[in-house]
Amino acid sequence: MADATNSSTGPQPKPWIEAIHAYVPGRSAGADGRKLIKLSANENPLGTSPEALAARAEAAAPSLYPDPGCAPLRAALGKLHGIDPARIVMGAGSDELLNLAAQGYAGPGDEVVYVRYGFSVYDIAARRCGATPVIAPDADYGSDVDAMLTLVNERTRVVFIANPNNPTGSYLPRGEVTRLHAALPSDVLLVIDQAYGEYVAPQDEDGAMALAAVHDNVLVTRTFSKIYGLAGERIGWATGAPHLIATLNRIRLPFNVSNNGQALALAALDDQQFVEMSRLHNQTERARFAERVAALGNHGLRPLPSEANFVLILFEGALCAEQAYEGLMQAGYIVRWLPGQGLPQALRVTIGTREQMDAIADALAAMAQSAAKAPAK
Ligand SMILES: *Cc1c(COP(=O)(O)O)cnc(C)c1O
């Protein structure tokens, strides 16, 4: 069989690189190329802060290299979150930093632990540096601290958790995050990926930042891609002990955040009103949508509890996830079907506008009812 990644006579990729399945991004068009309303990549349905967009005009000239250390941006993040900017590193999206964390601390023969139904980038991050991914079983689709701890041994170098988790939306409360950290050996790096951290109600905060502030082995990653509405600019950041930040600085690309990206992110940080509006919109519409889907429980639809800006719906009745995915495309919407992540029975739906969520709930209800009426196969 022809294999685009392999040539029998040319350079041979490392076997652990060959074993990687490339990241599958959320789609924005149907199979026929038709443009669809995209609720497949957890982008902000409210767009971007107008203040941030206005800042593009003030970005440094494209002919000039960007500030390699993103000094003003790190200072602003430090001020907002109460962190010494020396404990912050910026990345080309948090994806870059997740990869660097694995690369900096794991290699061939080492193990990287994360939960089943975790973020798909962890698998790539572990494999690209030659480490072995070790996958902990879930607890009804959520992260299971005990299951992860059982798999930690002398070969474990890095543990990844996303909190809230993508694609499940599940959330480990503060006590569980603390317990996970407390049980890990001090030479194991715990990476807590808070890509959706700003969507969590302030009183339910998981305490990861506080752990990163005082412990030697905790790295917290954040992003401007989700609530800040800057996914297209590729800006993420990480915070932790200075020695961790120094490792990531050694191996990151020197000019990893563009002029535009730095200017937009700086202005976006200044507009916390937009962030709060986005959080409240998400909280309201997520609850409304989850309730409508839960009302289809008699048809086997089950929305998992979510603290993020999406809901994972399980299809356990006559209407299957693939059918629903195709039907939603017919209705003009693209969501995320995840058979490649072991979730052929589920769709992940990003929370969009109220009109969009009502249209999706209506379409799901209609499909569930007609599937129930169809003669059994
Ligand atoms: C979206 C997402 C990211 C962020 O990726 P960026 O590279 O910052 O755009 C990181 N982790 C999780 C779990 C995500 O869902």
Side-chain angles (χ1 to χ4, degrees):
M1 195 179 73
D3 182 345
T5 65
N6 218 332
S7 147
S8 53
T9 55
Q12 299 301 305
K14 291 294 171 194
W16 55 87
I17 300 293
E18 260 186 308
I20 293 176
H21 295 284
Y23 181 78
V24 182
R27 291 165 53 188
S28 55
D32 55 2
R34 189 163 59 107
K35 195 95 181 120
L36 298 165
I37 294 172
K38 186 184 178 198
L39 295 175
S40 62
N42 303 340
E43 292 146 327
N44 189 332
L46 307 183
T48 310
S49 148
E51 284 178 38
L53 294 176
R56 261 193 294 210
E58 288 148 43
S63 60
L64 302 176
Y65 277 111
D67 171 1
C70 303
L73 185 49
R74 285 191 300 112
L77 279 168
K79 193 162 166 232
L80 179 67
H81 291 280
I83 303 170
D84 176 356
R87 301 176 69 102
I88 295 174
V89 57
M90 304 302 304
S94 48
D95 280 354
E96 181 190 20
L97 300 164
L98 297 167
N99 277 289
L100 295 179
Q103 192 186 352
Y105 293 94
D110 297 332
E111 296 182 354
V112 173
V113 173
Y114 52 88
V115 75
R116 185 177 179 211
Y117 312 131
F119 186 38
S120 56
V121 161
Y122 307 152
D123 183 80
I124 299 173
R127 290 181 194 275
R128 78 194 309 223
C129 55
T132 304
V134 174
I135 300 165
D138 60 299
D140 195 23
Y141 298 93
S143 303
D144 182 334
V145 166
D146 293 309
M148 281 188 275
L149 286 173
T150 303
L151 295 173
V152 170
N153 60 38
E154 65 286 351
R155 290 183 299 279
T156 309
R157 302 273 44 98
V158 179
V159 173
F160 281 112
I161 59 163
N163 208 33
N165 185 41
N166 172 17
T168 59
S170 67
Y171 189 64
L172 286 180
R174 191 182 187 114
E176 286 294 280
V177 174
T178 310
R179 191 165 74 83
L180 171 62
H181 173 259
L184 285 178
S186 62
D187 64 346
V188 171
L189 177 65
L190 174 60
V191 180
I192 305 171
D193 174 350
Q194 291 191 330
Y196 303 97
E198 295 89 350
Y199 286 103
V200 176
Q203 69 273 15
D204 297 331
E205 193 261 311
D206 68 5
M209 290 277 189
L211 291 178
V214 298
H215 293 287
D216 255 5
N217 65 336
V218 179
L219 190 74
V220 173
T221 61
R222 287 260 180 141
T223 184
F224 282 89
S225 299
K226 305 287 156 61
I227 210 165
Y228 284 99
L230 289 171
E233 294 292 337
R234 314 304 307 126
I235 316 147
W237 57 285
T239 182
H243 68 99
L244 300 176
I245 300 305
T247 300
L248 270 53
N249 271 321
R250 255 181 227 127
I251 54 177
R252 72 174 169 86
L253 298 180
F255 303 103
N256 57 351
V257 184
S258 71
N259 287 332
N260 261 331
Q262 294 189 37
L264 280 152
L266 195 56
L269 274 185
D270 228 17
D271 190 358
Q272 287 299 313
Q273 224 185 319
F274 176 82
V275 174
E276 184 60 5
M277 180 176 73
S278 300
R279 185 176 76 77
L280 293 174
H281 166 86
N282 184 67
Q283 184 178 290
T284 306
E285 298 311 324
R286 184 182 63 205
R288 219 176 110 95
F289 179 66
E291 198 177 315
R292 289 208 55 192
V293 175
L296 302 170
N298 55 327
H299 292 293
L301 274 68
R302 174 157 76 105
L304 292 180
S306 171
E307 291 295 328
N309 67 342
F310 54 84
V311 173
L312 191 76
I313 306 171
L314 303 175
F315 291 78
E316 298 166 334
L319 176 66
C320 73
E322 183 175 15
Q323 244 180 315
Y325 176 68
E326 300 292 340
L328 288 177
M329 270 200 272
Q330 289 302 316
Y333 291 91
I334 183 113
V335 300
R336 195 73 174 262
W337 180 42
L338 294 158
Q341 277 182 252
L343 290 166
Q345 75 281 34
L347 295 183
R348 192 195 68 189
V349 184
T350 302
I351 301 302
T353 64
R354 171 163 294 189
E355 295 69 39
Q356 292 166 353
M357 301 323 286
D358 280 347
I360 289 180
D362 289 344
L364 288 174
M367 285 188 274
Q369 272 143 26
S370 66
K373 285 192 207 110
K377 272 176 263 174

